[in-house]
């Protein structure tokens, strides 16, 4: 019977690459906190990354609750799914490791956010009327694509767009609940980063609406670049490694 040698350098490098992927997804979690704060506070109570929030808002709005939008959260839901479907189509049945198509998705999202920053910067009153609806729909499409690419990587407890299940895991697996606090660090970071991201997004609105989206674009571009470099290092390492036995009898 063969067992994997977890002390072998190749295994250790693989674990290091997964830690790099985790770090990049945590960075993207921060950026989605910014995105949702900008959408909710600056564009008529719309979540462009957290679709759970939109479903709740839409449900309340359909009961006749005052001052709650219907069109924008509906379009955000639809376009988020369009973006996720587009991303899934590009990624296909790729494995969990970062792939050059993963880089492509995140790069397109970064470029799209940069374009939206320009759009918000040049359009008068971008939050009003059809211009605001175009912005929230387009940003939801980008966030759907990003979320699908993150999901494909299957990093436990880090989806980049929601932290409800992460909070449940953090509490239910805690030592207080009789668990072993599995993955408590990444769970705590995911929650904290989306919180700090929302704070940063809200603060950016005090300057100008385009500032926050421009920052998000840079963050996603940096994550895409670092993740891509990590993928190339992994590929070179695997090519140079001795093939047969990362395993022992």
């Amino acid at each position: 019977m063969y067992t994997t040698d977890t002390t072998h350098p190749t295994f250790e490098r693989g674990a290091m690459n997964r830690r790099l992927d985790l770090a990049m997804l945590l960075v993207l979690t921060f950026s989605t906190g910014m995105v949702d704060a900008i959408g909710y506070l600056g564009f008529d109570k719309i979540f462009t990354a957290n679709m759970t929030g939109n479903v709740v808002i839409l449900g309340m709005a359909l009961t006749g609750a005052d001052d709650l939008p219907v069109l924008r959260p509906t379009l955000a839901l639809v376009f988020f799914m369009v973006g996720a479907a587009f991303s899934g189509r590009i990624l296909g049945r790729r494995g969990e490791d970062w792939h050059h198509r993963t880089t492509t998705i995140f790069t397109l999202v970064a470029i799209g956010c940069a374009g939206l920053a320009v759009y918000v910067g040049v359009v008068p009153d971008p939050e009003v009327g059809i211009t605001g609806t175009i912005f929230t729909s387009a940003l939801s499409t980008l966030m759907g694509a990003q979320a699908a690419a993150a999901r494909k990587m299957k990093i436990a407890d880090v989806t980049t767009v929601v932290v409800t299940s992460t909070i449940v895991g953090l509490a239910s697996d805690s030592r207080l609940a009789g668990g072993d606090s599995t993955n408590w660090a990444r769970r705590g970071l995911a929650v904290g980063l989306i919180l700090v991201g929302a704070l940063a997004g809200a603060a950016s609105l005090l300057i100008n609406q385009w500032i926050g989206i421009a920052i998000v674009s840079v963050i996603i571009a940096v994550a895409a670049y670092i993740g891509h470099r990590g993928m190339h290092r992994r590929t070179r390492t695997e090519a140079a490694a001795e093939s047969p036995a990362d395993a022992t009898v």
Side-chain angles (χ1 to χ4, degrees):
M1 181 177 180
Y2 292 91
T3 58
T4 302
D5 182 4
T6 59
T7 64
H8 193 281
T10 301
F11 181 90
E12 292 176 358
R13 285 190 290 267
M16 186 179 299
N17 284 319
R18 290 301 279 175
R19 286 195 293 270
L20 178 62
D21 292 347
L22 168 62
M24 293 306 97
L25 293 190
L26 287 170
V27 169
L28 294 177
T29 300
F30 171 85
S31 72
T32 57
M34 289 191 67
V35 162
D36 269 338
I38 292 166
Y40 188 85
L41 297 175
F43 290 84
D44 195 25
K45 300 181 177 65
I46 303 301
F47 291 105
T48 53
N50 177 11
M51 291 300 112
T52 303
N54 279 336
V55 171
V56 172
I57 288 173
L58 186 58
M60 292 187 295
L62 291 175
T63 65
D66 292 338
D67 300 324
L68 288 177
V70 174
L71 178 62
R72 285 188 186 179
T74 301
L75 290 175
L77 284 166
V78 170
F79 281 100
F80 186 92
M81 289 189 288
V82 168
F86 173 77
S87 182
R89 186 72 175 179
I90 290 179
L91 291 168
R93 297 185 179 275
R94 300 292 169 185
E96 299 174 9
D97 289 332
W98 193 292
H99 188 268
H100 72 269
R101 295 187 185 183
T102 310
T103 304
T104 298
I105 294 295
F106 290 147
T107 300
L108 289 174
V109 172
I111 293 171
C113 287
L116 287 177
V118 173
Y119 173 81
V120 169
V122 300
V123 173
D125 299 320
E127 73 280 6
V128 176
I130 188 64
T131 57
T133 302
I134 290 172
F135 172 82
T136 55
S137 297
L139 191 53
S140 293
T141 305
L142 296 173
M143 290 300 103
Q146 176 179 292
R151 180 178 181 272
K152 180 70 71 172
M153 296 171 71
K154 296 182 180 178
I155 301 287
D157 302 304
V158 183
T159 66
T160 77
V161 290
V162 292
V163 292
T164 302
S165 59
T166 305
I167 293 171
V168 171
L170 184 63
S172 64
D173 293 338
S174 67
R175 297 190 186 281
L176 182 63
D180 56 3
S181 292
T182 304
N183 294 335
W184 69 269
R186 73 172 60 172
R187 289 168 172 170
L189 279 171
V191 175
L193 284 169
I194 207 165
L195 173 65
V196 176
L199 176 64
S204 72
L205 290 173
L206 299 176
I207 306 171
N208 196 292
Q209 290 159 319
W210 69 269
I211 293 288
I213 300 301
I215 293 172
V216 166
S217 172
V218 172
I219 290 171
I220 297 172
V222 169
Y225 175 76
I226 295 174
H228 189 72
R229 289 291 300 272
M231 178 198 71
H232 275 297
R233 284 197 299 271
R234 183 189 73 241
T235 302
R236 288 195 299 268
T237 299
E238 290 174 352
E242 300 172 338
S243 63
D246 293 340
T248 58
V249 178

